[in-house]
Structures are given as C-alpha cells and as structure tokens.
Amino acid sequence: EGIDITVLKSFGGTVETHVKGYPVIEAFKADTIANTPKTNNCKFSDFTIDGSELHVDPCVEAKGMFIIRMENCVWRDIKFKSTGSTALGCDFIGNSVIDHVICENCGRSGYYVGCAGIGIGTKGIETENLIITNCITTGCYNYGIFIETQELFRGKDELKDLEKRGVIISNCISHDCVKSGFGIKGGYDISLNNCISYNNKYGIELGLDLNNIQINDCLVQENLSHGIYLKDLYRWKNGDVWNGSAGAIDGVGIYDCTVFKNGGDGINIFGKEEGIAVGSGNITMNIKIEG
C-alpha cells in the first residue's frame, strides 16, 4: 500500500546476543547457479523493508532481498532501512529495472564484502541488461550502489564464459557511506550518468575485470579520500590479495565530471595506497579523461 505504510520487518537477537542473519525476501537456490531456476516477470513495489530489529554479527546473509537469476523484473517505490547486509542484493539480472529505491543505513553489520544499499552480482545469465535509476542511498556501509563480478567468490568453473553487457546507472545520489558511494568491481558496458556522490570515503570506486565503462556528467565532491578511485586489486578479510580473479581493465572513460573538494586525489589511478606492486598482473589500460 506504499512506502512506510506496508512494512516488512525482520527480528532476532539482542545487541549483546546476536543471531544468524537471513534475507527478508528470498528465492530457492540450487547447488549451482546453472541449476537454479530463473525468477521471471515479477514486480516489487510500494513497501518498506526494515531490518533494524535484527541483531547479527558481520555477514552477507541479512539482506533485504536476495534472489539470483532474474529476468523481466521491476523494483519500484521501495524503501530499505537498516538491513544487516545489502538491502537489494539480487544477482544475475536481465532485462529489468530498479527505479526509485531508497536505502537508508543498510549493510550496518559492516562485513568486508557486500553490506551495501543496492548490490548486483554479475556473470550468471546470458544477457545481464539492467537499468538502475532515480535511487538514493544514504549511510550505507561498503557501497551505496555497486555492480560486482561473482567470479571473485565462485570462480570460472561455476560461471559460464558468456557475454554480460549493458547496465545503466543514472540520476542516483549516494552520500554518507562508510566506504564508497558507487562501485563497479567487474563489468562490461556499464554507464554511470548524472549521479551525485558526496561525503563518502570514496566517491566512485572502480576495479578488477572492467571493459567499456563510462562515467558521464557526475558530481563527485567532498568525499573523505579520492573522488574517483581506480584500483587493480582487492583483498580477502585476512588481508591476502585476490589472485587469479581480476581480469583486464580495458576501456574506462570519464567525461565532463565535476570532481572537487575531496580529501584525497580528484582522480587516483592505481595509487600506492593499495600496493600496486602486488596488483593482479593482468592489466590493459585504455583510460580517457575528458572535459
């Protein structure tokens, strides 16, 4: 019946005694991605998911929504509030739209991966076309909005080598996140347009397996560290480098952006902060910065 009128809540544990995390909305997952049936032709709209009363240790399980392999679906006019991990954390999405989704204080358990507002995993179906538009994420943990290759976690043996291309993120605002406002950690043909990122640690974070990424007409201001940060390695929870998962970075365009008053560099490409000497070793850079 509407945001903050229809409310789905999760419960469990106390501040002192935590319980295992769980998603509020979930669908069946088989033993492998390929054997998991697709969820088709669904519309989610006009409700709030509130995870503020679920007390969990740092985890990826306490999502607002977690469904994998989806096609022809729509998320519209939804609020996610205080989820333990990623609010809208669905993976492998085709021909779908996420529009006017608000995420407040999501990913609050603070796990080292996930724990974002909107987080979409890639490389699990044939054509992963997705539009994310008119969304606002505030106070989330790792990212406000991010796209991430699942090869980091599942490897090429489970994910088919299919062409995954075509994600548009437009007219979105992300602010006051503990780490990055926007992130792309692996993706093909992704366009980030007319977005605003401020008062996060990083404004926009890019890295790992990237091909044909465009950032257009974005306003990146007053972030605590770098405005736009392009990095070629990530680390496990114990500090070890992810080896063998990072592909080439080939084709990144940054056009007509306004990047100012950030605490680090305006644009930082493979800075020493992450230790470039022990990077992925699989880098092809074609980077264009214009306007």
Side-chain angles (χ1 to χ4, degrees), residues 2-44:
I3 288 177
D4 290 341
I5 301 173
T6 300
V7 180
L8 310 179
K9 299 191 72 170
S10 53
F11 299 89
T14 66
V15 174
E16 295 80 16
T17 305
H18 292 177
V19 296
K20 186 177 179 180
Y22 59 87
V24 178
I25 297 176
E26 189 175 20
F28 170 77
K29 296 184 292 297
D31 54 347
T32 67
I33 293 170
N35 290 333
T36 300
K38 291 179 182 177
T39 299
N40 295 299
N41 307 317
C42 291
K43 181 179 180 182
F44 307 92

Side-chain angles (χ1 to χ4, degrees), residues 174 179 181 196-204 218-229 257-268:
S174 186
K179 294 189 177 177
I196 298 175
S197 183
Y198 68 92
N199 204 34
N200 311 286
K201 181 178 181 181
Y202 304 116
I204 300 172
C218 290
L219 176 59
V220 184
Q221 64 172 342
E222 298 175 344
N223 295 285
L224 302 180
S225 186
H226 308 317
I228 299 175
Y229 184 20
C257 292
T258 302
V259 185
F260 71 106
K261 293 185 178 179
N262 296 286
D265 298 323
I267 300 174
N268 181 293

Side-chain angles (χ1 to χ4, degrees), residues 207-218:
L208 297 176
D209 184 10
L210 302 179
N211 282 266
N212 304 328
I213 309 299
Q214 286 200 6
I215 302 174
N216 308 294
D217 296 299
C218 290

Side-chain angles (χ1 to χ4, degrees), residues 244-289:
S245 298
I249 295 175
D250 189 359
V252 176
I254 301 171
Y255 304 101
D256 299 314
C257 292
T258 302
V259 185
F260 71 106
K261 293 185 178 179
N262 296 286
D265 298 323
I267 300 174
N268 181 293
I269 300 173
F270 301 165
K272 295 180 180 179
E273 179 177 343
E274 293 290 334
I276 187 172
V278 289
S280 68
N282 186 19
I283 299 301
T284 302
M285 300 195 318
N286 287 295
I287 298 173
K288 184 174 186 178
I289 302 171

